[in-house]
Amino acid sequence: MVTQEFSIRNTQESESEPLFIAGPCSAETEAQVLETAHELSQNKAVRFFRAGVWKPRTRPNSFEGNGEKALPWLTEVQKQYGMKVMVETATAEHVELCLKYGIDAIWIGARTTVNPFTVQEIADALKGTDIPVLVKNPINPDLKLWIGALERIAGAGITRMAAIHRGFQSYDNTVYRYAPNWDIAIELMSEMPGLPVICDPSHITGKRSMIAETAQKAMDLGMHGLMIETHPNPDAAWSDAAQQITPARLKEILDSLQIRHYNSNDPVFDNELERLRRKVDSIDEELLEVVAKRMRLIERIGIYKKENNITIFQPQRLTEIRETRTVFGNKLQLEEDFIRRLLKDLHDESIRFQTEILYRESSKEKSD
Ligand code: PEP
Ligand code: MN
């Protein structure tokens, strides 16, 4: 049931279909909205029609949306094509207008999620309603801010919520428009396990050519749906032209998506997975025992350095560790970057522990 889409459910246990949301970046004209909806309504996989009515643009004098004037166009989409519609809201007034025109769901955009005052104003405007609310990640990679916005909306009594992962601003050179930082979305899924997380490959990639692979990656990670910008004539779009795709291309992408499930219904698979996991469990125990053994040696080294007034950090030792372990790890077919990160964590912990030894009461060391 579409109305159940955003219910807080334990998605790990449910095998519900992913939620696909599509529609133009902006509602440009009534004809463009209806043409897009007409084409999308023929694709049964698409459950929600999206369109921006108020557009937060980086620079003034860009097209900032048609505002209230466009809301009746979306009401037409509901009437003529039976589709549910959703709109971005950035102020309490936008929320009131969406409620007035019977918009089915709203989302909070990345530039709004960053501001707790605005999110709170939106939450206050939502009190007493039961409209589903989707919260895009803040533009900066800050998981707490994202969770905080979701908490403010939940605090207003909204029960049907979802998060939208649309990528993060980054100064690093990346092929993406907004770096996906998948780890942040994964962390959100583990911190809020009942919350559906929808991926927005359009804003992440900023370009048509990368949407299919990014959508697939989201499915591989177990995300619960996709929001994809769709326009009948993408190149002529008034906003985000480079990342919009036609409804026909959207159909191709959705049809060829490999949907993965949290659980299988196959006992043979379940048994085999369970058997392999038990092996991993015991290897993890061995791994931690070895790490603990390493720490006991580090302790002896720390005490010895302290007695001899030697610095804790020895750059040449770190270089030597890096070089030898990388060569050894390579022989074991471990990724170089992974070995580096692992060694860094071990080395950081060793420095921390030796610093603690340096400043601890010497009486504690009598037994050593
Ligand atoms: C949009 O969905 O068109 C939009 C403005 O998104 P974001 O808030 O992710 O930039
Ligand atoms: Mn857009």
Side-chain angles (χ1 to χ4, degrees), residues 25 50 55 177 203 229 239-240 243:
C25 177
R50 64 147 277 156
K55 299 302 301 175
R177 179 178 179 199
H203 289 89
E229 288 188 338
S239 58
D240 288 351
Q243 69 194 35

Side-chain angles (χ1 to χ4, degrees), residues 23-26 50-57 88 107-113 136-137 139 164-167 177-178 200 202-204 227 229 239-240 243-244:
C25 177
S26 306
R50 64 147 277 156
V53 163
W54 299 281
K55 299 302 301 175
R57 306 306 299 278
E88 173 177 348
W107 83 85
I108 297 179
R111 288 164 196 76
T112 306
T113 308
K136 286 200 171 194
N137 64 257
I139 212 143
I164 303 177
H165 169 232
R166 50 81 73 207
R177 179 178 179 199
Y178 292 104
D200 171 348
S202 308
H203 289 89
I204 290 178
M227 178 189 255
E229 288 188 338
S239 58
D240 288 351
Q243 69 194 35
Q244 302 210 53

Side-chain angles (χ1 to χ4, degrees), residues 76-89:
E76 277 305 305
V77 171
Q78 293 169 322
K79 276 200 223 133
Q80 292 189 29
Y81 302 109
M83 293 185 87
K84 301 262 173 194
V85 296
M86 72 168 71
V87 165
E88 173 177 348
T89 57

Side-chain angles (χ1 to χ4, degrees), residues 178-193:
Y178 292 104
N181 291 2
W182 297 102
D183 52 318
I184 299 182
I186 291 169
E187 189 77 16
L188 178 70
M189 293 199 282
S190 61
E191 294 249 333
M192 301 181 86

Side-chain angles (χ1 to χ4, degrees), residues 5 22 53 56 61 85 93 165 178 210-211 217 227 233 288-289 299 311 315 319 367:
E5 284 305 344
V53 163
N61 305 322
V85 296
E93 192 201 348
H165 169 232
Y178 292 104
M210 285 182 73
I211 290 179
K217 167 107 183 174
M227 178 189 255
N233 182 4
L288 291 176
E289 275 167 12
E299 183 172 28
T311 58
T319 312
S367 56

Side-chain angles (χ1 to χ4, degrees), residues 49-318:
F49 182 85
R50 64 147 277 156
V53 163
W54 299 281
K55 299 302 301 175
R57 306 306 299 278
T58 306
R59 309 272 306 265
N61 305 322
S62 317
F63 170 61
E64 292 190 318
N66 281 299
E68 183 177 357
K69 185 175 94 181
L71 292 174
W73 307 342
L74 295 171
T75 319
E76 277 305 305
V77 171
Q78 293 169 322
K79 276 200 223 133
Q80 292 189 29
Y81 302 109
M83 293 185 87
K84 301 262 173 194
V85 296
M86 72 168 71
V87 165
E88 173 177 348
T89 57
T91 66
E93 192 201 348
H94 296 168
V95 172
E96 277 147 25
L97 286 166
C98 285
L99 293 170
K100 180 174 147 196
Y101 283 88
I103 300 301
D104 299 291
I106 60 165
W107 83 85
I108 297 179
R111 288 164 196 76
T112 306
T113 308
V114 290
N115 187 337
F117 289 120
T118 313
V119 174
Q120 191 57 52
E121 274 173 26
I122 291 174
D124 292 342
L126 287 164
K127 279 194 184 131
T129 73
D130 192 25
I131 188 169
V133 180
L134 294 86
V135 180
K136 286 200 171 194
N137 64 257
I139 212 143
N140 52 323
D142 185 341
L143 176 62
K144 287 206 178 82
L145 202 52
W146 196 3
I147 293 179
L150 288 156
E151 285 170 342
R152 285 177 197 277
I153 301 302
I158 296 294
T159 54
R160 292 176 295 165
M161 295 200 311
I164 303 177
H165 169 232
R166 50 81 73 207
F168 302 88
Q169 186 95 55
S170 156
Y171 273 104
D172 291 340
N173 257 342
T174 132
V175 293
Y176 299 100
R177 179 178 179 199
Y178 292 104
N181 291 2
W182 297 102
D183 52 318
I184 299 182
I186 291 169
E187 189 77 16
L188 178 70
M189 293 199 282
S190 61
E191 294 249 333
M192 301 181 86
L195 180 80
V197 180
I198 313 287
C199 181
D200 171 348
S202 308
H203 289 89
I204 290 178
T205 63
K207 52 174 108 44
R208 263 165 238 155
S209 59
M210 285 182 73
I211 290 179
E213 63 192 88
T214 308
Q216 183 59 56
K217 167 107 183 174
M219 294 296 103
D220 295 346
L221 291 174
M223 291 196 180
H224 310 105
L226 298 169
M227 178 189 255
I228 299 184
E229 288 188 338
T230 318
H231 193 287
N233 182 4
D235 283 330
W238 296 4
S239 58
D240 288 351
Q243 69 194 35
Q244 302 210 53
I245 55 173
T246 60
R249 176 66 187 136
L250 177 77
K251 183 160 171 30
E252 275 173 20
I253 292 179
L254 296 187
D255 285 350
S256 58
L257 267 189
Q258 185 84 36
I259 309 293
R260 310 204 189 273
H261 304 282
Y262 274 100
N263 297 309
S264 86
N265 288 322
D266 175 359
V268 176
F269 168 84
D270 288 348
N271 280 340
E272 180 60 4
L273 183 65
E274 204 45 35
R275 192 181 68 81
L276 294 171
R277 281 183 171 162
R278 294 294 79 86
K279 278 191 160 183
V280 171
D281 289 350
S282 72
I283 288 179
D284 281 354
E285 277 179 19
E286 280 173 36
L287 197 64
L288 291 176
E289 275 167 12
V290 173
V291 172
K293 204 161 135 189
R294 187 181 198 276
M295 287 313 289
R296 286 193 292 274
L297 280 172
I298 297 294
E299 183 172 28
R300 281 173 56 188
I301 292 175
I303 294 166
Y304 203 43
K305 281 184 187 163
K306 178 180 176 177
E307 286 165 0
N308 291 280
N309 207 25
I310 300 294
T311 58
I312 293 173
F313 179 53
Q314 310 255 314
Q316 75 286 7
R317 173 64 179 153
L318 180 59

